[in-house]
Amino acid sequence: MARARLTIDLDAITRNWRALDALSAPEVETAAVLKADAYGLGAGAVGPALAAAGVRSFFVALAEEGVALREAVGPVPAIYVFAGLMPGDAPLFEAADLIPCLNSPGQAADFLRELPGRPCALQVDTGMNRLGLEPAEFDAIAGDLARLAPVLAISHLACSDEPDHPMNASQAAAMTDFAARLPGVRLSLAATGGTLLGAPFHFGLVRPGVGLYGGMPFAAASPVVSLSLPVVQVRDVAPGEAVGYSATWTAAGPARIATVSAGYADGLLRALGNGGFDLLAGDVRCPVIGRVSMDLITVDVTGLGSVPAMLDLLGPQQGVDDLARSAGTIGYEILTSLGPRYERVYKGGS
């Protein structure tokens, strides 16, 4: 069975980084978030392309991700780990020169014991109540700040995709309060959404993630991914015949059905079945019919004069957020669900 082809445009990623970088003042650093294997697109390829474009700081979720990224980008860029110093991870931080974002007094104590003298960052909670030091916890480690000598303090906006949400201003004010208690320490509050909110949210460093990869809320992003699914069989279906599991689609008239090679094992969610989305043959939309199965999807190609070898699922005409809306989810989930069976083709980059 032919493999579906996922094409990743590294030049589009670097264009998106430059566009986001241009939204903040020259003294504000624009980093890049490459957690979850660069949102599913391959940190080993994305990292070097962004480093060549000028990225000096990267963020990942886990120490193991940081080790892999260090191998890809070399010794120069800073690599921060959102999860902080977890038990048993100290050798990874030391060997790969990683910087933990310490989230609790316990992590701070472990850091001083296991990695004294190495750089660290602090993650502070400004209202999201997910990770980070709350004000009382910050007070508990205040006596250790001189020994910790954090190079950065970060927090995360809960509602940055809703520009008018009152939590945005509340969290920016809370970050400013932390700044008064961390003189000389650079601050970071904004991911993609916060970068788009403007200067009051930028502080010293912004760290876009999904916007680099063509996702909302960065509506002006260049498309990054395209996905083409190979047609493995075409058949004619008579009126009244059913297609797919549970016979959820029945032909109202003579129909031509193409079966393409991809399914929910490849991150194409079952919620997309029965007309939830289209595949494209050039500019012609071909609706999915029947259920999405593990490896196969059926598509109504009755209106095509000839059926091409591949039908397109993602591209300039239909992006990850379009697909996400059809599935009742968000572009982040579509990107990070794209599975390992695709033939991955990288365009551009150094």
Side-chain angles (χ1 to χ4, degrees), residues 7-16 41 210-215 218-226 314-322 335 347:
T7 302
I8 299 153
D9 188 339
L10 297 174
D11 289 342
I13 294 174
T14 58
R15 281 196 303 275
N16 290 336
L41 301 185
V210 72
L212 302 176
Y213 310 111
F218 188 26
S222 296
V224 169
V225 295
S226 58
L314 293 174
Q317 295 168 285
Q318 182 167 263
V320 292
D321 289 286
D322 297 317
L335 279 172
K347 293 169 50 182

Side-chain angles (χ1 to χ4, degrees), residues 50 70 91 202 228 277 313:
L50 285 170
R70 176 63 71 203
H202 292 166
S228 300
F277 68 108
L313 173 58

Side-chain angles (χ1 to χ4, degrees), residues 39 54 80 115 143 157 211 240 243 313 318 320 322 328:
Y39 287 53
Y80 295 86
L115 296 170
L157 292 166
V243 175
L313 173 58
Q318 182 167 263
V320 292
D322 297 317

Side-chain angles (χ1 to χ4, degrees), residues 5-341:
R5 182 183 303 125
L6 178 65
T7 302
I8 299 153
D9 188 339
L10 297 174
D11 289 342
I13 294 174
T14 58
R15 281 196 303 275
N16 290 336
W17 177 79
R18 291 189 179 99
L20 289 162
D21 181 48
L23 298 178
S24 59
E27 65 271 17
V28 176
E29 180 184 352
T30 301
V33 178
L34 269 67
K35 62 182 180 178
D37 197 27
Y39 287 53
L41 301 185
V46 173
L50 285 170
V55 174
R56 305 191 308 275
S57 299
F58 292 97
F59 288 80
V60 296
L62 308 173
E64 291 83 357
E65 293 179 337
V67 171
L69 183 59
R70 176 63 71 203
E71 293 176 358
V73 300
V76 175
I79 300 176
Y80 295 86
V81 178
F82 285 131
L85 180 61
M86 299 297 289
D89 280 352
L92 300 180
F93 279 89
E94 194 159 22
D97 192 21
L98 309 177
I99 303 172
C101 298
L102 304 175
N103 291 293
S104 67
Q107 285 196 347
D110 291 345
F111 177 82
L112 289 173
R113 183 178 64 255
E114 298 181 45
L115 296 170
R118 293 192 57 81
C120 73
L122 300 180
Q123 185 155 196
V124 296
D125 179 25
T126 54
M128 191 173 185
N129 286 304
R130 190 176 64 171
L131 281 180
L133 296 154
E134 296 181 356
E137 293 175 316
F138 183 89
D139 291 340
I141 68 165
D144 292 323
L145 286 178
R147 286 196 297 153
L148 289 167
V151 298
L152 181 70
I154 72 168
S155 192
H156 195 62
L157 292 166
C159 304
S160 64
D161 57 340
E162 301 176 56
D164 297 325
H165 198 290
M167 269 199 75
N168 295 322
S170 172
Q171 287 191 262
M175 197 67 179
T176 300
D177 290 342
F178 274 112
R181 304 161 80 179
L182 288 164
V185 178
R186 191 163 54 157
L187 305 179
S188 176
L189 178 62
T192 298
T195 302
L196 297 170
L197 288 177
F201 298 88
H202 292 166
F203 292 92
L205 180 148
V206 295
R207 47 180 207 275
V210 72
L212 302 176
Y213 310 111
M216 293 294 286
F218 188 26
S222 296
V224 169
V225 295
S226 58
L227 179 58
S228 300
L229 311 182
V231 176
V232 293
Q233 190 176 78
V234 179
R235 68 174 62 219
D236 294 315
V237 173
E241 287 193 294
V243 175
Y245 283 120
S246 300
T248 57
W249 184 88
T250 302
R256 202 150 198 236
I257 305 302
T259 299
V260 298
S261 176
Y264 59 75
D266 305 291
L268 306 183
L269 308 178
R270 288 184 76 246
L272 292 165
N274 286 309
F277 68 108
D278 299 328
L279 273 66
L280 289 105
D283 294 327
V284 180
R285 290 187 169 271
C286 304
V288 167
I289 53 98
R291 289 187 174 174
V292 173
S293 57
M294 184 181 293
D295 312 300
L296 300 168
I297 296 170
T298 44
V299 187
D300 187 346
V301 294
T302 307
L304 297 181
S306 61
V307 180
M310 286 191 160
L311 296 171
D312 296 327
L313 173 58
L314 293 174
Q317 295 168 285
Q318 182 167 263
V320 292
D321 289 286
D322 297 317
L323 201 61
R325 281 189 289 272
S326 297
T329 184
I330 55 176
Y332 299 74
E333 185 176 18
I334 298 296
L335 279 172
T336 57
S337 297
L338 295 173
R341 295 197 296 188

